[in-house]
Amino acid sequence: MSKLHLPKVIGHRGAKAYAPENTLESIETAASLGVEWVELDVKLTRDNVPIIFHDEELDRTTNGSGLVAHTDYEDIKQLEAGSWFADSFAGIKIPTLEEAVDIILKHNLGFNLEIKPCPGREKETAEIALDHLSQIWDDMDKLLISSFQHVSLESALDLAPDYARGLLIGGEEMPENWKQLAEYLDVTTINLGSKLVTRAVADEVMDMEKPLLVYTINDPMQARTLQKLGVDAFFSDCPDVILENLAGGLN
Ligand code: G3P
Ligand code: MG
């Protein structure tokens, strides 16, 4: 049984509002803001190197183009991943999972690793990422593996049953079978897109006695409203803003 120590606020892709998402600089920025945990996305390069990256394509956040799934790490590591965000970040790189974990450990942060496979690579992304992670991560209280992909969570359950898992659900409506999925995948947390969080859904999650995490919350008023419904933790691009506004507890 996991003794997960969740914070109230998790830095989304590091601290996405202040630094290029999913980079070492974004993790450093989150740490400097007093954030306790960060969330990062992992996927595989063509040659199976786990990298921290959100999109299927390189175009939006790097000077490269094309699919990550079609690009080898040798080429990925040449790319520049900062100047799209601001000139002051020019020259920074896409990190590997190992490089990101180094910085997370240096700052003693908790870690939500979201398995974000390229289409068709759901199983191998979980297998390879968790194999790498198991060699460098010890603290089960500060680690949550999440995914929208049930196959990835199933692999996580098979390979690393001791790692807490979070079932990610997005979109406009809860899938009918979400409770069965949560039971089957034996998840510790339910991680929902904010549109899904009605009082009824929040109550149902509470009845399951699982922490409810919600993404992506950048508005303090929204955080307060959700906190009153029983939301336990928020993913935020500007975690400092949410942290400040939840200070003092408004339950
Ligand atoms: O894990 C919460 C959130 O990161 C899920 O959405 O697209 O930002 O990875 P996305
Ligand atoms: Mg994510």
Side-chain angles (χ1 to χ4, degrees):
M1 192 66 183
S2 157
K3 305 181 270 109
L4 197 58
H5 286 235
L6 283 171
K8 286 208 159 80
V9 183
I10 299 172
H12 185 227
R13 305 184 202 172
K16 181 175 175 282
Y18 307 119
E21 62 187 61
N22 282 328
T23 62
L24 303 184
E25 288 68 12
S26 196
I27 304 167
E28 293 278 5
T29 303
S32 75
L33 296 171
V35 171
E36 293 172 69
W37 277 54
V38 290
E39 182 264 2
L40 303 171
D41 306 293
V42 68
K43 54 182 9 96
L44 300 178
T45 62
R46 177 163 65 182
D47 51 343
N48 290 334
V49 177
I51 57 163
I52 301 300
F53 203 76
H54 181 272
D55 295 1
E56 283 171 38
E57 295 186 345
L58 294 161
D59 304 55
R60 180 177 62 89
T61 58
T62 78
N63 62 345
S65 66
L67 294 170
V68 174
H70 291 175
T71 312
D72 284 338
Y73 180 64
E74 264 314 296
D75 297 317
I76 295 264
K77 80 176 187 199
Q78 312 299 331
L79 298 177
E80 196 276 322
S83 53
W84 70 276
F85 185 87
D87 289 344
S88 54
F89 289 103
I92 70 177
K93 300 291 184 187
I94 298 172
T96 61
L97 174 60
E98 279 86 347
E99 288 166 345
V101 168
D102 265 359
I103 305 294
I104 288 171
L105 292 174
K106 183 179 102 183
H107 292 288
N108 200 22
L109 299 174
F111 186 22
N112 174 201
L113 181 65
E114 182 188 336
I115 313 276
K116 182 79 100 187
C118 298
R121 307 196 77 190
E122 291 77 12
K123 191 163 189 279
E124 64 204 283
T125 303
E127 287 174 353
I128 293 170
L130 295 182
D131 180 47
H132 282 240
L133 191 60
S134 67
Q135 297 170 42
I136 47 180
W137 192 280
D138 289 326
D139 191 350
M140 295 303 133
D141 299 0
K142 291 167 78 173
L143 178 67
L144 177 64
I145 307 298
S146 63
S147 190
F148 291 104
Q149 304 303 327
H150 309 148
V151 170
S152 299
L153 289 175
E154 202 176 15
S155 300
L157 174 60
D158 278 354
L159 287 170
D162 293 347
Y163 290 180
R165 287 167 301 285
L167 175 60
L168 266 166
I169 306 174
E172 308 279 332
E173 265 181 51
M174 294 294 279
E176 242 169 58
N177 62 344
W178 71 271
K179 284 189 205 167
Q180 289 95 311
L181 275 171
E183 294 299 339
Y184 169 69
L185 296 166
D186 194 14
V187 296
T188 301
T189 67
I190 306 292
N191 304 10
L192 302 182
S194 58
K195 286 185 193 159
L196 296 170
V197 188
T198 59
R199 180 174 294 280
V201 167
D203 286 349
E204 284 182 291
V205 176
M206 241 185 287
D207 286 347
M208 296 173 91
E209 298 185 349
K210 296 188 188 295
L212 172 55
L213 284 57
V214 179
Y215 69 92
T216 306
I217 305 301
N218 297 328
D219 173 4
M221 291 305 293
Q222 192 185 11
R224 287 172 189 227
T225 305
L226 289 166
Q227 201 180 37
K228 285 184 192 143
L229 292 182
V231 171
D232 296 286
F234 304 94
F235 295 95
S236 181
D237 300 333
C238 47
D240 55 330
V241 173
I242 302 301
L243 268 174
E244 247 169 56
N245 281 277
L246 293 179
L250 287 152
N251 287 316

